[in-house]
Amino acid sequence: MLDIILANGRIVDGSGNPWQAGDVGIKDGQIAAVGQLAGEEAGRVIDVNRQVIAPGFIDGHCHSDLMILDYPLSEIKVRQGVTAEVVGNCGLAPAPIGPGRLEQLQSYVQPVLGMSSREWSWKSVRDYMEIIAASRPSEHIATYVAHGALRIAVMGFENRPATPAELQQMKQLLEEGMEAGAIGLSIGLLYAPGSYTAKEEIAELCSVLPKYGGLFSTHIRGEGNNLLPSVREVIWIAEKAGVSLHISHLKAAGRRNWGTVLDALELIEDARARGMDVTCDVYPYNAGSTSLTTVLPPWTLEGGIDRLLAIVRDPSLRARIREELGREQTDWDNLVCSTGWQSVFISSVHSETNRGLEGKHIAEISETRSQHPVDCVLDLLLEEQGRISIVYFHMSDEDVRQVVGYDKSLIASDSLTCETGKPHPRLYGTFPRVFAKYVREEKTLTLEQAVRKVASFPVQRFKLGKRGLIVPGYLADLVVFDPDTIQDAATYEDPRRHPEGISHVFVNGSPTLLNGGHTHAREGDLIRAQHRCSH
């Protein structure tokens, strides 16, 4: 006898094959049967009335590392059909914590990960993973070891090469994280201290990964003028270290660079033709989201937030920042030079004093304050102790469409935690948007292609076990939605709106969303990578 039958559905199994009419039977948390199950007994039969039954969606690149601890029901993601998330991206993670480095790490991750209301009681990646497991979330969680956290644990924010001893320490911490079940190493070459790291040092660190089959995932050094050299750099690192490479949120930022994303895709194809395993992900929006500090020259971030604030107080250094942001740069991407301050919107601030600025762009704020935009930004950073998140419109719709349609790209939200203010709508709307915009409206993808990009492809890429396909014996992580009505409701003006058209979500066979309402089930697992070590 089956536990549950989802009857009368359009089964999109995740493989990319055409949908088939039929039923899905669930027993003991697994998919037990697929096909015509009218004669089978079950404890519960749910008639889905010709809606799509698909594998649960995988958010393979997000920043929910701390949010999942404070909000283990994960309603924001479950109501999008998401049954698993991958955290620890872009070199940003809350572990490991080196001796005396807690405040530095917290200041580093807060603009992206937020700050958990609980005490940071963990030290190692293993500790953090155990706390995630104990929190019993409503969805599954997997994590990378994050390079930025490694470097801060060993070196702080020092802008210099690691010594052999320091590099060995980082390799040891990475090895410990991989032993604990992390899926690989993530790095954020745009963010200090990742930006201070030479490609040779990263390649040496990556030498830990092959014996675990670990993935090297990277936020590349530049996504604007330096897009192509940055893609070449990470391909070089992966080739040197002999590891698989995943390029995060591939885009061409800044109007003058629009179209070069096609050249970046060609670099991926060239690498694959040489036998390299290279893929990428993309979010379905033309605006990104990050910390306001990332628009500044890289030298300002040496030493962390405290030193940045000291620099901002120095009139001569402030003048240097203003001069450098006023012209194109060759060794770093000065995106505001080409896109303008009217493209940079404040999404969240730390203090109540500046809460009214959320949702406004820098050009508007600076005009109201009768300031030059750069001085306005620097003063805001002082007022908010560097803790400001932004939404940044710097991409082309056509470029996004090209990457969404690329067969080696998977869909991910890159969503940031944002407890106040106006977060990027991708936090609430990424996955329904793919089906509404790129399947139903623009027909960039077929229904089956879209399901593959959000289910079986990320499961395969991140080695997340027996999920992502509707196959007997696989875990019953499933989503039921109406392809005619599924729709993201979150907008830039009103981003905290749940989507429409998703009826049911099952995690480990447990009804977690029924008829659009969260059941408060918390049956998610910590996904530990099953490494085959060659010790």
Side-chain angles (χ1 to χ4, degrees):
M1 179 174 170
L2 298 170
D3 297 328
I4 299 172
I5 292 178
L6 301 178
N8 191 25
R10 280 182 271 181
I11 302 170
V12 182
D13 67 7
S15 68
N17 290 334
W19 66 265
Q20 60 174 313
D23 315 319
V24 177
I26 299 170
K27 185 174 180 60
D28 297 332
Q30 295 186 342
I31 297 167
V34 180
Q36 302 301 320
L37 306 179
E40 296 287 336
E41 291 187 12
R44 183 174 192 176
V45 177
I46 300 174
D47 186 345
V48 303
N49 193 26
R50 303 279 294 166
Q51 293 185 87
V52 167
I53 306 172
F57 305 155
I58 312 296
D59 193 346
H61 184 112
C62 67
H63 297 283
S64 305
D65 309 55
L66 296 174
M67 184 167 68
I68 197 67
L69 295 177
D70 290 337
Y71 305 100
L73 291 178
S74 198
E75 190 165 3
I76 290 172
K77 293 298 178 70
V78 168
R79 288 182 62 164
Q80 291 182 61
V82 172
T83 57
E85 294 189 280
V86 177
V87 300
N89 288 283
C90 296
L92 293 149
I97 303 172
R101 302 289 190 187
L102 175 60
E103 289 187 6
Q104 282 189 319
L105 181 61
Q106 288 178 328
S107 69
Y108 170 63
V109 303
Q110 185 173 5
V112 175
L113 305 188
M115 282 291 287
S116 174
S117 61
R118 67 166 63 198
E119 180 186 357
W120 288 36
S121 57
W122 55 86
K123 296 296 181 186
S124 67
V125 174
R126 183 183 296 276
D127 293 342
Y128 167 75
M129 293 172 75
E130 294 296 343
I131 288 172
I132 289 287
S135 72
R136 295 182 54 246
S138 288
E139 57 175 340
H140 309 300
I141 302 292
T143 187
Y144 289 100
V145 178
H147 172 257
L150 290 182
R151 213 170 199 266
I152 291 169
V154 175
M155 300 175 59
F157 282 91
E158 294 190 39
N159 183 2
R160 60 173 176 79
T163 66
E166 289 167 337
L167 185 53
Q168 185 56 41
Q169 277 185 273
M170 284 187 273
K171 289 170 74 172
Q172 180 61 38
L173 289 171
L174 173 56
E175 187 126 21
E176 290 172 4
M178 298 303 292
E179 293 279 0
I183 64 172
L185 173 70
S186 82
I187 191 163
L189 290 170
L190 178 68
Y191 303 106
S195 58
Y196 305 148
T197 314
K199 63 182 182 181
E200 293 80 7
E201 182 179 313
I202 300 167
E204 180 59 28
L205 188 58
C206 283
S207 68
V208 170
L209 298 177
K211 72 178 180 181
Y212 297 97
L215 183 63
F216 174 46
S217 175
T218 175
H219 181 139
I220 56 179
R221 201 175 295 271
E223 297 174 325
N225 300 347
N226 294 310
L227 172 62
L228 300 183
S230 297
V231 172
R232 292 189 189 99
E233 177 186 33
V234 294
I235 289 174
W236 182 93
I237 292 167
E239 197 160 23
K240 178 77 171 175
V243 296
S244 299
L245 171 66
H246 186 73
I247 299 174
S248 301
H249 40 65
L250 184 64
K251 65 176 78 72
R255 184 178 297 274
R256 63 180 290 177
N257 303 304
W258 292 354
T260 58
V261 73
L262 295 176
D263 300 311
L265 297 179
E266 193 63 37
L267 290 175
I268 294 175
E269 286 296 309
D270 290 345
R272 293 187 65 87
R274 298 197 305 273
M276 292 187 65
D277 181 6
V278 186
T279 55
C280 66
D281 62 56
V282 58
Y283 51 80
Y285 297 87
N286 66 357
S289 185
T290 186
S291 166
L292 182 59
T293 59
T294 61
V295 306
L296 301 178
W299 61 267
T300 63
L301 301 177
E302 297 173 18
I305 294 297
D306 287 343
R307 185 169 182 275
L308 168 65
L309 298 178
I311 288 170
V312 168
R313 292 186 185 96
D314 185 316
S316 62
L317 295 178
R318 182 182 278 243
R320 177 183 169 186
I321 294 169
R322 181 170 170 172
E323 190 276 327
E324 290 184 8
L325 287 176
R327 57 183 170 85
E328 292 287 356
Q329 301 290 330
T330 56
D331 55 346
W332 57 277
D333 282 335
N334 181 8
L335 295 179
V336 294
C337 190
S338 58
T339 55
W341 290 107
Q342 72 279 1
S343 299
V344 182
F345 285 72
I346 301 296
S347 60
S348 72
V349 296
H350 179 67
S351 74
E352 288 296 329
T353 304
N354 286 322
R355 195 72 68 204
L357 302 181
E358 293 170 340
K360 297 181 178 180
H361 58 71
I362 295 296
E364 176 185 5
I365 297 168
S366 63
E367 183 176 353
T368 301
R369 291 186 168 203
S370 301
Q371 285 184 296
H372 188 281
V374 175
D375 290 317
C376 177
V377 165
L378 299 182
D379 283 351
L380 283 172
L381 287 169
L382 281 174
E383 292 164 22
E384 298 297 322
Q385 297 296 296
R387 291 176 285 187
I388 304 178
S389 298
I390 60 173
V391 168
Y392 197 178
F393 290 86
H394 55 14
M395 294 147 60
S396 152
D397 283 328
E398 179 56 28
D399 280 358
V400 175
R401 189 175 300 109
Q402 291 286 346
V403 186
V404 165
Y406 179 53
D407 64 347
K408 282 89 174 181
S409 76
L410 56 89
I411 306 296
S413 73
D414 193 21
S415 56
L416 279 60
T417 299
C418 189
E419 300 209 8
T420 60
K422 295 191 174 184
H424 195 299
R426 66 192 183 190
L427 177 61
Y428 281 76
T430 290
F431 295 90
R433 179 177 175 84
V434 170
F435 292 95
K437 180 176 175 66
Y438 293 103
V439 176
R440 189 172 65 238
E441 296 170 12
E442 298 185 3
K443 296 178 171 54
T444 303
L445 301 170
T446 66
L447 174 64
E448 293 84 356
Q449 287 171 333
V451 170
R452 185 189 73 86
K453 280 178 174 284
V454 299
S456 63
F457 183 7
V459 167
Q460 177 197 49
R461 193 55 175 147
F462 307 125
K463 299 181 180 177
L464 303 182
K466 297 182 72 173
R467 48 176 60 86
L469 291 169
I470 299 182
V471 175
Y474 271 53
L475 294 171
D477 295 341
L478 300 167
V479 57
V480 177
F481 65 92
D482 186 336
D484 297 324
T485 63
I486 188 171
Q487 182 71 55
D488 55 311
T491 65
Y492 292 101
E493 295 75 22
D494 189 9
R496 297 181 184 275
R497 296 175 63 192
H498 293 295
E500 302 164 358
I502 296 177
S503 304
H504 313 302
V505 175
F506 298 81
V507 178
N508 280 345
S510 177
T512 303
L513 195 78
L514 277 180
N515 298 312
H518 202 301
T519 66
H520 296 272
R522 291 166 61 174
E523 296 298 328
D525 294 322
L526 173 71
I527 302 175
R528 300 182 194 271
Q530 301 300 308
H531 300 305
R532 294 181 179 178
C533 303
S534 55
H535 290 296

